[in-house]
Amino acid sequence: MGIDRNSMRNVVIIVLVLMTIGTTNGLTMNYYMFSCPLLDMVVKNYVNSALNSDPTLAAALLRMHFHDCWIEGCDGSVLLDSTKDNTAEKDSPANLSLRGYELIDDIKEALEERCPGVVSCADIVAMAARDAVFFAGGPYFEIGKGRKDGRRSKIEDTINLPSPRFNSSDLIKQFGQRGFTVQDLVALSGGHTLGAARCVTFKDRIMNNADPTTIDADFSRNLVKTCRGGDNSRQTFDSTTNTFDNDYFVSLQRKMGLLTSDQTLFASPLTRPIVNDYAMNTAMFFLHFQQALIKMSLMESSDSNAPREVRQNCRKVN
Ligand SMILES: *[C@@H]1O[C@H](CO)[C@@H](O)[C@H](O)[C@H]1NC(C)=O
Ligand SMILES: CC(=O)N[C@H]1CO[C@H](CO)[C@@H](O)[C@@H]1O
């Protein structure tokens, strides 16, 4: 008996098929399987212990991944420090509340000890965001790896980030241009289940008598109080700010969305039904969120000839 040539061939085909499952944009689930087998464990341990001492970092890590991907693809550009000839993305006012860089540095350092020169900073950011969502109570999912780090990070590119003052048509348009459906837009906005925003991003909603059709009166009075502390005073997006849940969507139904770009999702007939679905069905939100986040994590630079590398230090090009 034994294995004949035909069944051997079938085994080989099955193995090849398995290896290509989850391959998108050149990324694979098991990209570092041999070159850095402990990668997943290292990132998870660092993210977990960082969140234990500072749960607000979950929002920061998710936001960092979003900012990274949105500007010229997920290439670690958000991590680069400014140099004397170049002002980097991270020094844009739009970035004012980005945090978590030290954690990424720590993870990179730990990985350089185990598998030097192998794991890109862009992959670390993507994995840290994924793990942050999970440790905050959200879904767990696999993501492709094999991103490379870019060498460009320019303050002027950050004008392409969605504005907190966008209405639903602006949002649908900008997300649509980048390949996201209306469902992806609403699901990704649900990332605001974590974190807070500064007064300067929402105070226009409460000045000159808040419009009661778009904002709850008590909520509005609370925001006025918060903003007495100045433009940098912070207000959480929902009442469970460090927990990844669907409370954000329930808040929108109550006209307690923080930013114009949040509450508008309940105002538009194109997005309101999706908000209502997620407010009722956490499992649906989680599923759609992970699908949209995976899509986001595959965003690539519009310049396919842009130089790519695995950075030694996430803050500096090699
Ligand atoms: C959304 O805002 C844009 C300007 O940014 C405006 O042209 C458009 O009419 C607005 N759409 C809605 C539905 O309010
Ligand atoms: C303009 C500005 O304040 N940019 C900030 C962007 O984020 C980094 C990291 O937190 C800050 O160091 C910059 O000052």
Side-chain angles (χ1 to χ4, degrees):
M1 285 288 294
I3 302 176
D4 63 32
R5 213 184 317 149
N6 240 345
S7 49
M8 196 59 208
R9 200 180 121 257
N10 289 342
V11 168
V12 169
I13 289 173
I14 290 168
V15 169
L16 286 176
V17 166
L18 282 177
M19 285 180 67
T20 50
I21 285 177
T23 305
T24 8
N25 289 22
L27 303 186
T28 51
M29 302 300 178
N30 46 19
Y31 188 83
Y32 298 106
M33 187 161 66
F34 301 112
S35 58
C36 200
L38 293 180
L39 169 62
D40 263 72
M41 199 196 74
V42 170
V43 177
K44 273 187 186 56
N45 284 347
Y46 271 85
V47 172
N48 191 19
S49 73
L51 293 189
N52 278 337
S53 43
D54 179 6
T56 67
L57 267 181
L61 292 171
L62 183 56
R63 192 170 132 85
M64 181 188 283
H65 183 37
F66 174 78
H67 277 231
D68 188 27
C69 295
W70 205 254
I71 300 165
E72 289 300 310
C74 317
D75 62 354
S77 56
V78 72
L79 303 172
L80 288 173
D81 282 343
S82 293
T83 61
K84 71 177 188 321
D85 310 317
N86 182 53
T87 308
E89 286 168 29
K90 66 163 59 155
D91 287 319
S92 148
N95 255 358
L96 201 63
S97 48
L98 280 185
R99 296 180 303 126
Y101 296 114
E102 295 74 16
L103 174 61
I104 302 296
D105 290 339
D106 290 347
I107 296 173
K108 177 66 173 172
E109 206 174 299
L111 291 172
E112 287 299 299
E113 270 169 31
R114 289 169 177 82
C115 26
V118 167
V119 184
S120 68
C121 298
D123 276 343
I124 296 174
V125 172
M127 294 175 74
R130 185 272 309 268
D131 291 339
V133 165
F134 172 70
F135 288 123
Y140 185 79
F141 45 94
E142 294 294 333
I143 55 170
K145 278 150 271 179
R147 293 167 192 79
K148 290 283 180 281
D149 299 322
R151 294 174 60 88
R152 173 193 171 99
S153 179
K154 295 204 172 288
I155 186 171
E156 56 265 32
D157 293 344
T158 58
I159 55 163
N160 298 321
L161 287 166
S163 156
R165 290 171 193 86
F166 272 1
N167 62 29
S168 56
S169 13
D170 301 328
L171 289 168
I172 290 170
K173 184 162 159 238
Q174 201 191 60
F175 278 70
Q177 283 165 347
R178 287 153 187 264
F180 293 97
T181 63
V182 174
Q183 177 186 299
D184 293 331
L185 160 67
V186 180
L188 280 178
S189 301
H192 281 176
T193 177
L194 299 173
R198 291 171 303 131
C199 246
V200 66
T201 60
F202 58 80
K203 67 178 179 185
D204 52 316
R205 297 190 65 211
I206 49 174
M207 287 183 321
N208 316 321
N209 297 324
D211 175 359
T213 61
T214 63
I215 190 163
D216 173 82
D218 286 336
F219 182 63
S220 174
R221 275 190 286 274
N222 269 334
L223 299 188
V224 170
K225 246 187 252 163
T226 303
C227 290
R228 286 203 191 111
D231 277 358
N232 287 331
S233 303
R234 299 162 76 79
Q235 171 79 32
T236 63
F237 285 110
D238 71 12
S239 60
T240 54
T241 176
N242 295 325
T243 307
F244 196 99
D245 56 17
N246 69 341
D247 190 46
Y248 167 81
F249 296 104
V250 176
S251 304
L252 299 186
Q253 291 178 320
R254 297 180 179 153
K255 296 188 214 162
M256 291 164 65
L258 187 55
L259 307 176
T260 298
S261 59
D262 294 318
Q263 194 58 51
T264 190
L265 299 175
F266 193 66
S268 159
L270 291 174
T271 48
R272 188 192 305 132
I274 310 175
V275 170
N276 288 335
D277 281 346
Y278 296 165
M280 209 165 56
N281 188 338
T282 302
M284 186 196 279
F285 165 48
F286 280 14
L287 179 66
H288 292 177
F289 177 82
Q290 73 185 59
Q291 288 167 345
L293 195 73
I294 287 171
K295 203 187 245 191
M296 188 188 92
S297 81
L298 299 175
M299 290 175 82
E300 288 184 318
S301 167
S302 52
D303 174 8
S304 54
N305 293 321
R308 290 276 179 272
E309 61 192 17
V310 171
R311 249 175 247 152
Q312 279 161 10
N313 173 337
C314 291
R315 292 173 183 265
K316 290 191 281 206
V317 299
N318 289 345

